[in-house]
Amino acid sequence: MRRFIVTTQRQKMLIRGATPLRGSISAQGAKNAALPIMAASLLLSREQLIIDRIPDLQDTRTMADLLGHLGAQTTFEKGTMIIAAPEEPDWETPAHLVRKMRASSLALGPLLARCGRAVLPLPGGCAIGGRPIDLHLKGLAKMGAQIELVHGSVHAKAKGLRGCRIYLDFPSVGATENLMMAAVFARGQTILENVAREPEITNLAEVLRAMGAKIEGEGTGTIRITGVKELSGTRITVIPDRVEASTYLLAGIMTGGEITVHQVIPQHMDALLAKLEEAGAEVFCTEETVSARAPQRLRGISVKTLPFPGFPTDLQPQMMALLSIAEGSSIVQEGIFESRFLHVPELQRMGAHIEVQGNSAVVTGVPALHGTDVRATDLRAGAALILAGLSASDQTEMFGVEHVARGYEKIVEKLGHVGARVEIIPCPDEDA
Ligand code: UD1
């Protein structure tokens, strides 16, 4: 079994701003598609799942480590991960990995389907508000699982799950994925209603189908799964990362330059592109590239985050950074998470005028931000601060850079390639 080394040394990012970024960047494979697809390997027995275009990120390495602990053999080279499933996986997920990453909860459905039992310490992840997994557990219970909470861990057991109709109170991405994977071996048909329609769900459904699952309706509000007896190994490709691609597009616009992002599916970025055009940006798409530029200062707009195809919550902090330097006022409403405004005080330190009222923020644009010391509290907050720093008049030092490593592969190289002056340097403890 291969264990991946996870670095714990503290680092900070130095960003020297005010340079227009121009050029091309290739998008990585989508983190949020790679993680559930990797978890789907737990459904296999002594077969291989070969996954191309896996981004090399802290989170994908944590998931590989988790699978290793459960008995899988993983190799990861040049973006291709080969996961060899054990005959019988272990069903107890280790707390130190689960607490690092909320997506570890995606092991629950497949383990229950394959082993009839699973233990999952309550997961961690980004500090963006209360993120329960009650919808996952409610759905699994409806399929016949017995679920108990023992000393902060979920203990789930089932003597064979059974197909049924499950209505999700909210189209949770993780609950949809977990229940899809739990249902592949369930007796009869499972009908999942009010499910998430994100492209990452579609990618997972394609993979499960390629493994032999009977599944239809992904990308709509209802997914139907008819249980099968076993699955077989396959080789598949992860879709492009729409959040990463969008972040780089915003970097071009905010610095007065123009970035073209390659190897993307522009339709997955429709909500962002529409909002950028509304704000006055020019957007150009081909079948697999997107570029954007702002011929003059953008104007303020209203943005509300919603489940796909609405505006993604994972771009809300970055969009707020952009609107901080737009002309006039903007309103940003967070419709998915309870407290996803932890980037606001940091943007304010850089000169942004933002007033938060509940789940809304009123942003009054200023002509420019200025560099200072800031701290990333979560992955996308970090991305927003990097964008702010790239546009700012002088140098920004961003602490908490390890959050960004969870989601952006080779970010320093990629930004450097389009002209940014950024570097990651060790951060002595007294600075951290
Ligand atoms: C996934 C993404 C994350 C993104 C989020 C929303 C991955 C690995 N992560 O997270 O980047 O920000 O979708 O697009 O794909 N909820 C409940 N009970 C549940 C489950 C969710 O109340 O059982 C709530 C959450 O607290 C949150 C909302 O539903 O307010 C959305 O969560 P969900 O769609 O489940 O997000 P994740 O799957 O965790």
Side-chain angles (χ1 to χ4, degrees):
M1 176 200 321
R2 177 163 167 201
R3 294 261 196 273
F4 293 102
I5 309 295
V6 174
T7 171
T8 53
Q9 192 193 16
R10 293 204 178 274
Q11 296 176 315
K12 62 182 174 184
M13 186 182 273
L14 290 186
I15 308 159
R16 293 178 189 86
T19 303
L21 305 186
R22 294 181 201 285
S24 299
I25 291 179
S26 287
Q28 67 188 29
K31 168 179 91 70
N32 288 352
L35 296 173
I37 291 172
M38 289 170 72
S41 69
L42 291 167
L43 293 163
L44 294 172
S45 174
R46 289 196 303 169
E47 300 249 356
Q48 282 190 347
L49 183 61
I50 304 176
I51 315 170
D52 294 314
R53 206 175 179 186
I54 290 258
D56 188 358
L57 303 169
Q58 203 80 8
D59 275 12
T60 47
R61 286 175 177 263
T62 302
M63 183 60 95
D65 227 354
L66 180 71
L67 297 175
H69 275 274
L70 298 175
Q73 306 257 353
T74 51
T75 61
F76 185 28
E77 217 175 318
K78 292 186 183 153
T80 295
M81 188 171 282
I82 302 177
I83 307 172
E87 189 166 355
E88 277 303 324
D90 191 356
W91 36 265
E92 218 165 318
T93 55
H96 71 283
L97 292 175
V98 175
R99 297 232 160 85
K100 258 189 198 165
M101 185 179 72
R102 178 178 163 82
S104 312
S105 59
L106 295 170
L108 192 58
L111 283 180
L112 207 48
R114 265 273 277 127
C115 312
R117 58 195 305 184
V119 174
L120 180 89
L122 285 175
C126 280
I128 50 175
R131 296 175 77 177
I133 56 164
D134 55 313
L135 300 174
H136 306 226
L137 302 181
K138 216 168 126 188
L140 292 171
K142 191 138 189 233
M143 294 172 81
Q146 290 173 309
I147 293 173
E148 281 181 278
L149 200 59
V150 184
H151 304 306
S153 290
V154 173
H155 288 239
K157 273 190 208 161
K159 281 198 188 118
L161 294 170
R162 56 169 188 269
C164 61
R165 185 180 287 268
I166 298 170
Y167 173 83
L168 295 184
D169 293 333
F170 182 86
S172 152
V173 173
T176 302
E177 292 164 344
N178 237 335
L179 296 173
M180 281 163 74
M181 293 190 277
V184 294
F185 295 141
R187 285 191 306 279
Q189 194 179 53
T190 305
I191 302 173
L192 304 175
E193 288 176 335
N194 195 31
V195 291
R197 293 186 279 158
E198 269 69 0
E200 293 75 20
I201 302 281
T202 302
N203 204 186
L204 175 64
E206 285 160 359
V207 173
L208 293 173
R209 210 162 24 239
M211 288 161 73
K214 289 196 176 146
I215 180 160
E216 59 182 37
E218 72 274 10
T220 75
T222 304
I223 294 179
R224 288 185 166 75
I225 302 141
T226 306
V228 294
K229 290 266 182 278
E230 59 180 9
L231 299 179
S232 46
T234 188
R235 179 167 193 153
I236 49 85
T237 304
V238 173
I239 57 170
D241 196 312
R242 59 198 167 102
V243 180
E244 189 223 16
S246 302
T247 304
Y248 290 126
L249 216 54
L250 295 178
I253 296 178
M254 284 181 68
T255 57
E258 179 174 350
I259 290 178
T260 301
V261 192
H262 290 260
Q263 297 180 31
V264 294
I265 300 176
Q267 294 86 325
H268 291 176
M269 298 160 68
D270 272 350
L272 173 79
L273 301 181
K275 283 290 161 187
L276 288 178
E277 286 183 328
E278 188 183 329
E282 290 176 351
V283 173
F284 312 92
C285 297
T286 68
E287 215 169 294
E288 27 179 80
T289 70
V290 181
S291 17
R293 66 169 183 229
Q296 65 268 316
R297 196 172 162 204
L298 295 183
R299 49 184 174 269
I301 52 167
S302 294
V303 177
K304 179 168 187 185
T305 67
L306 291 166
F308 189 84
F311 191 92
T313 177
D314 285 352
L315 284 175
Q316 180 261 105
Q318 300 91 311
M319 193 66 177
M320 197 181 290
L322 175 131
L323 295 174
S324 296
I325 53 168
E327 180 109 54
S329 296
S330 300
I331 297 177
V332 178
Q333 281 179 278
E334 175 52 53
I336 305 289
F337 288 108
E338 263 167 41
S339 56
R340 196 172 200 175
F341 285 141
L342 295 174
H343 45 287
V344 169
E346 305 305 302
L347 289 173
Q348 285 168 334
R349 286 163 58 78
M350 297 179 75
H353 288 187
I354 305 169
E355 209 181 304
V356 174
Q357 291 155 354
N359 268 352
S360 294
V362 179
V363 185
T364 308
V366 294
L369 298 174
H370 55 78
T372 185
D373 293 359
V374 288
R375 176 172 293 280
T377 47
D378 63 73
L379 166 55
R380 307 303 172 185
L385 296 176
I386 294 171
L387 294 180
L390 289 168
S391 80
S393 50
D394 36 26
Q395 178 168 301
T396 299
E397 286 195 12
M398 189 188 75
F399 298 89
V401 75
E402 66 279 1
H403 292 292
V404 177
R406 293 188 47 207
Y408 291 85
E409 182 181 58
K410 296 194 180 105
I411 187 164
V412 169
E413 289 91 325
K414 284 186 170 187
L415 284 172
H417 180 70
V418 292
R421 295 175 298 160
V422 288
E423 57 183 315
I424 290 180
I425 58 170
C427 167
D429 274 348
E430 60 270 24
D431 267 11

